[in-house]
Amino acid sequence: MEKLKVVLVGCGDRACVYAEEGVHKLEQMEIVAAVDPDEVRLQYVREHFGVAEAMCFRDQNQLLARGKIADCVINGTMDKLHLQTAVPFLEQGYDMLLEKPLVNNKKDLLLLYDTAKAHGCKLMTCHVLRYTPFYRKIKELILGGEIGEIVNICTDERVGAFHSSVSYIRGKWKSEKESGSSLLLAKCCHDIDLLCWLNAAAPPAQVFSYGGRDFFIPEKAPNGAGTRCLVDCPEDVRKQCIYDVQSMYLDNCLLPWYPWQCTGKDYHDVTMEEKIESLKTYNPHGVCAYKAGGDIADHQNVAIHFKNGSTAVHSLTLGCMKAGRSIFISGTRGEIEGKVEDGFFCLRKYDRKTSTYTEQRFDFKDRKGETGGHFGGDRGLVADFCGIMLGSKPSVSYTSIENSITGHLLVYAADESMKSDSPVDL
Ligand SMILES: NC(=O)c1ccc[n+]([C@@H]2O[C@H](COP(=O)([O-])OP(=O)(O)OC[C@H]3O[C@@H](n4cnc5c(N)ncnc54)[C@H](O)[C@@H]3O)[C@@H](O)[C@H]2O)c1
């Protein structure tokens, strides 16, 4: 079978997840070159994807100097680098799978769009949730008219305490200045995209958002808390604190690739002594969660008014005990309700016999990620990308840049609304 020749730009966690799906699971990709300033990551792609040493580059210009050597790029650089690492490859005619959020402002979004159009490139966003069987089935039911016209959608994302800490309180997305993304853009541009995709009958007209950083602040630290858990925080305070590093990072550590990245080693190879030493000294995850210096919101609500009168609300909260995403869609002829982590949703319709309702349950097998990350969304995205590149028709979930612009603009407007404390028209 013909395989896509792919260049990885930014060989971190996400790019390697997609490469793993494309190369080893779907067997439709061959990684022919890689760019990353970090030698540890380049070694990883050499070992896992067989990239030749001579085709591993520390700087994208070294690769760009060779002209177009592959069909496409998977760009998994951090948020702030997306524009500068995407545009030069698009200008050489590379099609691209680019991580979300595409960019953090309207001007750069249009530049990205114009560049892709001018050079005839397919540019797809990694909105993986659209590709989960769960949300995809919901989309198909809506398209099939099962619930009539959408009246209102309520979604929420509850970010668990560990995930909040490792990414948004102490981690690499804790500061909009550093990462380039607000909390809503980094965490829920997926969810806002879903709202626009599911409620595609009309574009959004106005958004209002409130929230902010009110809880992970120094004033809310436990009484007597220090500045680094393992250095100057008293034992009795630590025992009461959810964010004490002993339980969170040393005893458990649910997403180990994040907190040990700063050691410069593959996380599998970091010893307990090195972990403890890093948390005591330079590791940002060793700092008190309330004093970690983040500047993004820790909770945010978004209310959207669409042009046809329908509405949507999305609620995002850090530090939750039971993490998850839920959805409730109210239509003129029925409703849909579920939580992706539960592995099922229900479609309810009016029951003339009882004047209550009938309920049909849709179950999804994958509750533990057996079909790849994001409940099968990662694999679905890569499969669609490969299919489109090899000439197939795009799926209903297709996340071309055209399809992703509205969601991004809505996130920018919601953040503007939260900061200005007033509604913003789109
Ligand atoms: N789709 C999703 O659900 C999802 C989930 C998590 C993260 N993300 C997004 O994926 C992107 C990557 O996140 P990650 O956690 O994989 O990050 P990461 O830090 O693991 O990977 C980024 C890689 O880029 C490399 N890099 C830095 N500068 C570079 C440059 N100039 N050129 C090329 N490479 C460079 C880094 O060395 C690193 O290996 C981010 O934009 C993030 O927001 C998306």
Side-chain angles (χ1 to χ4, degrees):
M1 190 177 67
E2 192 192 349
K3 286 194 183 178
L4 282 179
K5 290 193 180 354
V6 179
V7 170
L8 294 187
V9 177
C11 307
D13 174 42
R14 295 307 302 166
C16 290
V17 164
Y18 300 131
E20 180 64 29
E21 292 295 341
V23 174
H24 295 134
K25 301 288 181 348
L26 300 167
E27 298 182 349
Q28 289 188 316
M29 281 182 184
E30 180 192 356
I31 311 298
V32 297
V35 183
D36 199 302
D38 185 343
E39 179 49 36
V40 175
R41 300 311 304 167
L42 290 178
Q43 189 179 333
Y44 183 91
V45 298
R46 283 198 289 273
E47 284 168 10
H48 285 77
F49 307 116
V51 184
E53 181 137 22
M55 296 309 283
C56 289
F57 304 92
R58 296 281 191 97
D59 183 325
Q60 67 184 32
N61 291 324
Q62 296 164 330
L63 174 57
L64 287 162
R66 296 180 177 226
K68 187 166 183 272
I69 59 149
D71 301 307
C72 57
V73 163
I74 294 180
N75 186 327
T77 57
M78 270 294 286
D79 312 13
K80 217 177 182 175
L81 295 178
H82 288 174
L83 191 73
Q84 72 199 62
T85 55
V87 166
F89 285 97
L90 293 171
E91 284 173 344
Q92 286 201 351
Y94 282 94
D95 294 316
M96 188 176 294
L97 185 61
L98 176 58
E99 256 305 354
K100 51 59 44 183
L102 290 169
V103 285
N104 66 5
N105 66 83
K106 186 173 171 180
K107 184 170 148 272
D108 290 349
L109 189 63
L110 295 181
L111 174 62
L112 204 55
Y113 174 80
D114 288 342
T115 310
K117 286 291 126 202
H119 296 275
C121 303
K122 298 182 186 87
L123 175 56
M124 256 174 84
T125 322
C126 299
H127 276 315
V128 288
L129 290 187
R130 285 197 197 188
Y131 287 93
T132 58
F134 180 95
Y135 289 109
R136 192 176 161 139
K137 185 69 196 172
I138 292 178
K139 174 72 179 175
E140 285 166 3
L141 292 174
I142 292 168
L143 285 176
E146 291 285 347
I147 61 167
E149 269 186 81
I150 290 177
V151 178
N152 185 44
I153 310 182
C154 295
T155 54
D156 68 26
E157 159 126 59
R158 300 166 210 180
V159 190
F162 176 81
H163 189 178
S164 300
S165 171
V166 83
S167 294
Y168 307 105
I169 297 170
R170 292 157 153 153
K172 59 190 180 191
W173 289 280
K174 73 175 183 199
S175 161
E176 187 168 353
K177 268 191 221 126
E178 282 167 31
S179 79
S181 295
S182 67
L183 176 70
L184 189 70
L185 189 61
K187 191 73 193 98
C188 287
C189 70
H190 283 309
D191 304 80
I192 302 297
D193 170 73
L194 282 180
L195 293 175
C196 298
W197 177 60
L198 294 174
N199 193 13
Q206 193 180 63
V207 61
F208 184 70
S209 176
Y210 46 95
R213 191 174 189 89
D214 299 298
F215 299 95
F216 290 98
I217 53 176
E219 298 86 312
K220 300 272 178 172
N223 278 341
T227 55
R228 255 184 198 273
C229 301
L230 297 183
V231 176
D232 58 359
C233 195
E235 191 75 20
D236 56 326
V237 177
R238 284 178 51 197
K239 280 209 170 112
Q240 299 298 319
C241 181
I242 292 175
Y243 296 91
D244 176 34
V245 292
Q246 184 64 45
S247 147
M248 206 162 249
Y249 294 111
L250 296 174
D251 298 345
N252 296 301
C253 207
L254 303 178
L255 306 168
W257 48 94
Y258 286 137
W260 314 122
Q261 201 169 25
C262 64
T263 63
K265 289 172 95 172
D266 187 315
Y267 72 88
H268 295 99
D269 303 331
V270 187
T271 64
M272 186 52 88
E273 288 70 33
E274 287 169 335
K275 288 177 184 175
I276 293 172
E277 184 52 25
S278 79
L279 292 171
K280 283 184 175 170
T281 53
Y282 63 91
N283 192 328
H285 296 275
V287 174
C288 171
Y290 299 89
K291 302 174 184 174
D295 59 24
I296 56 169
D298 49 29
H299 63 122
Q300 184 167 359
N301 283 1
V302 180
I304 305 157
H305 190 206
F306 290 82
K307 281 212 167 110
N308 63 356
S310 61
T311 46
V313 181
H314 180 69
S315 172
L316 160 61
T317 314
L318 296 188
C320 297
M321 299 305 113
K322 187 174 176 190
R325 282 185 158 98
S326 65
I327 185 160
F328 175 73
I329 310 178
S330 181
T332 50
R333 299 189 62 78
E335 64 188 31
I336 289 170
E337 183 168 32
K339 185 169 175 189
V340 66
E341 287 77 9
D342 289 343
F344 71 90
F345 68 76
C346 293
L347 166 67
R348 298 187 199 105
K349 300 226 192 159
Y350 184 69
D351 181 13
R352 300 183 76 85
K353 277 193 224 138
T354 61
S355 119
T356 56
Y357 58 85
T358 59
E359 189 171 87
Q360 187 181 359
R361 182 170 148 147
F362 293 82
D363 279 280
F364 301 89
K365 276 191 226 127
D366 183 359
R367 296 185 196 181
K368 292 189 189 138
E370 296 96 331
T371 56
H374 291 105
F375 304 93
D378 290 354
R379 186 165 308 163
L381 170 84
V382 176
D384 205 22
F385 180 68
C386 291
I388 290 162
M389 290 294 302
L390 296 169
S392 304
K393 260 178 74 181
S395 76
V396 68
S397 304
Y398 185 36
T399 54
S400 67
I401 182 160
E402 291 87 340
N403 296 334
S404 310
I405 282 181
T406 309
H408 277 76
L409 292 178
L410 193 47
V411 173
Y412 307 152
D415 280 335
E416 189 188 328
S417 167
M418 184 176 72
K419 285 176 188 155
S420 65
D421 208 13
S422 54
V424 171
D425 291 332
L426 276 116

